[in-house]
Amino acid sequence: MPQLIAGNWKMHCLAAEAVALAQGIAAGAQGIVAELLVCPTALHLAAVAQALHGSSVAVGGQNCHQAPQGAHTGDIAAPMLRDLGATWVILGHSERRMNHGETDELVREKTVAAVEAGLTPIVCVGETTDQRAGGAETEAVGWQLAGSLPKPFTGVLAYEPIWAIGTGKTATEEVVAIMHAFIREELVRQFGDPGQAIRILYGGSVKPANAKSLLAVDNVGGALVGGSSLDPREFLEIARAARAG
């Protein structure tokens, strides 16, 4: 299975900028062995999906509600994302967990909703600075895995050390190898043999300068890219560092 390079655009880009960014990525995607995905804000999802129609670049949302519809002002249902052209959705990102108080249980409910709507979920897990400093990083991630993933789980995992999100810090290859091996063990423990096939992305200040070394680590099935996904050249350079399988 090829590695997945997913771009999380977060709360960036006006409409014209989002379309131009998508077009720039699609124009340079030829010959890249990785699976490519971009996740714009929901406001621009339809325009980006239209700009990428017929290309090899998929489109995803950054979040969804756990209900398929209802009186939830300001929220977006998974079927709505699918209707706009999304085939993926990021769930449980550290910024959602911290800024909006999302719990493991809520992330699990959203994951179920996403799958029912025909979306492939990317479920994020990761430890804080204090948890790592206290030696509780695997315990923290283990609890998130146990609480956030429904059974069966057919999506993708993303390990994002919170201390490396938006800080410019990046986990060393050794840290990534240890945590991804732990996550793999937990996935196999929870899901049996199917846990071996679940891709585990690394997300934490992935840049062109470190992409090749990070993507070469065992059990790294791709990258969840933040800041560098807002530059077509940088995003494509990261994608070119990916392995075919």
Side-chain angles (χ1 to χ4, degrees), residues 91-100 124 126 160-162 165:
L91 296 172
H93 191 280
S94 59
E95 291 160 357
R96 296 291 311 178
R97 291 178 184 263
M98 291 188 298
N99 298 339
H100 298 275
C124 302
E160 43 155 14
I162 297 172
I165 304 299

Side-chain angles (χ1 to χ4, degrees), residues 11-73:
M11 198 173 70
H12 292 286
C13 299
L14 300 181
E17 295 169 331
V19 169
L21 176 54
Q23 291 172 334
I25 291 171
Q30 292 79 6
I32 289 177
V33 299
E35 192 172 353
L36 298 180
L37 167 67
V38 296
C39 298
T41 174
L43 288 172
H44 304 142
L45 224 164
V48 169
Q50 183 176 6
L52 294 174
H53 182 72
S55 77
S56 60
V57 186
V59 182
Q62 297 178 15
N63 179 47
C64 72
H65 196 274
Q66 66 270 30
Q69 61 181 5
H72 304 289
T73 302

Side-chain angles (χ1 to χ4, degrees), residues 174-193:
E174 181 182 9
V175 166
V176 174
I178 291 171
M179 185 58 81
H180 277 238
F182 168 76
I183 293 173
R184 177 67 67 207
E185 290 173 0
E186 286 296 299
L187 291 175
V188 172
R189 185 182 66 80
Q190 288 188 45
F191 304 108
D193 288 341

Side-chain angles (χ1 to χ4, degrees), residues 7-240:
N8 179 10
W9 293 1
K10 305 189 180 184
M11 198 173 70
H12 292 286
C13 299
L14 300 181
E17 295 169 331
V19 169
L21 176 54
Q23 291 172 334
I25 291 171
Q30 292 79 6
I32 289 177
V33 299
E35 192 172 353
L36 298 180
L37 167 67
V38 296
C39 298
T41 174
L43 288 172
H44 304 142
L45 224 164
V48 169
Q50 183 176 6
L52 294 174
H53 182 72
S55 77
S56 60
V57 186
V59 182
Q62 297 178 15
N63 179 47
C64 72
H65 196 274
Q66 66 270 30
Q69 61 181 5
H72 304 289
T73 302
D75 282 311
I76 300 168
M80 295 175 178
L81 295 178
R82 192 73 181 88
D83 185 53
L84 292 177
T87 52
W88 295 77
V89 63
I90 299 169
L91 296 172
H93 191 280
S94 59
E95 291 160 357
R96 296 291 311 178
R97 291 178 184 263
M98 291 188 298
N99 298 339
H100 298 275
E102 293 195 358
T103 63
D104 293 337
E105 181 181 6
L106 179 59
V107 173
R108 184 174 70 251
E109 292 174 355
K110 290 184 175 189
T111 302
V112 171
V115 173
E116 289 179 348
L119 300 171
T120 301
I122 300 175
V123 178
C124 302
V125 297
E127 78 280 10
T128 65
T129 301
D130 290 343
Q131 287 168 336
R132 175 159 285 274
E137 64 272 17
T138 54
E139 180 181 5
V141 170
W143 278 111
Q144 286 180 327
L145 290 169
S148 301
L149 303 181
K151 295 180 180 179
F153 177 67
T154 56
V156 172
L157 255 292
Y159 167 58
E160 43 155 14
I162 297 172
W163 47 269
I165 304 299
T167 64
K169 298 179 181 178
T170 307
T172 64
E173 289 88 346
E174 181 182 9
V175 166
V176 174
I178 291 171
M179 185 58 81
H180 277 238
F182 168 76
I183 293 173
R184 177 67 67 207
E185 290 173 0
E186 286 296 299
L187 291 175
V188 172
R189 185 182 66 80
Q190 288 188 45
F191 304 108
D193 288 341
Q196 292 282 9
I198 296 172
R199 282 183 288 189
I200 309 169
L201 312 184
Y202 172 73
S205 296
V206 180
K207 305 177 185 302
N210 59 32
K212 185 174 182 180
S213 60
L214 290 170
L215 291 170
V217 174
D218 286 347
N219 290 305
V220 172
L224 181 59
V225 185
S228 286
S229 70
L230 299 173
D231 182 321
R233 180 191 60 80
E234 290 192 12
F235 185 68
L236 290 167
E237 192 171 342
I238 291 170
R240 292 188 188 98

